[in-house]
Amino acid sequence: MASFSGNELTNEQIDELRDAFERYDLDANGTLSAKDVRLALISVGYEITEAELYDLIHSVAVSDGQELDLQKFMRMMAPRMAHVDSDQTLCRTFSIIDRDRDGYVSVQDVRAIMVVLGEVVTDDDIKDICRAVDMDGDGRISLRDFIGFMHSPI
């Protein structure tokens, strides 16, 4: 485990943050803009407002403007990673994905979030994702399915 600002991160969390950072460092310059940071945060399950985003960035990049390198990104995220899998956070994430607010995540919702995250997936991939997350097998992804899946060991 590595410590960032007194907060322990598992190797898995470090890898997840590094992957998110690298995925959104589109120009490969080793830094993320505020917009890129927000996308990276969403990809690890952490949705925040624009004001919260800028507060977070300023907490680790006081004099360097709004660009974050990997070390600052890790330092910023370390205290928040403990909360990513909380049911409250998962409920907020579910509500973001459930675009039509009907209480279920549809194939179209999954496709849309994959596009936002920059993931290239086929229709078969999306169907496989939906089948995996549909814990009760009723053909729909409910909040209960989503939370159950997110807490299940992969």
Side-chain angles (χ1 to χ4, degrees), residues 110-129:
V110 173
R111 183 175 289 111
I113 198 67
M114 296 308 243
V115 168
V116 167
L117 294 174
E119 297 292 329
V120 178
V121 293
T122 65
D123 287 343
D124 287 339
D125 292 335
I126 291 173
K127 288 176 188 173
D128 289 345
I129 292 167

Side-chain angles (χ1 to χ4, degrees), residues 77-128:
M77 287 306 297
R80 287 148 190 88
M81 289 305 287
H83 305 292
V84 166
D85 288 334
S86 74
D87 285 352
Q88 181 182 11
T89 300
L90 292 174
C91 287
R92 283 196 316 258
T93 302
F94 182 87
S95 71
I96 292 165
I97 298 169
D98 178 19
R99 297 176 309 149
D100 61 3
R101 306 285 186 249
D102 67 351
Y104 297 95
V105 171
S106 67
V107 169
Q108 293 81 10
D109 294 331
V110 173
R111 183 175 289 111
I113 198 67
M114 296 308 243
V115 168
V116 167
L117 294 174
E119 297 292 329
V120 178
V121 293
T122 65
D123 287 343
D124 287 339
D125 292 335
I126 291 173
K127 288 176 188 173
D128 289 345

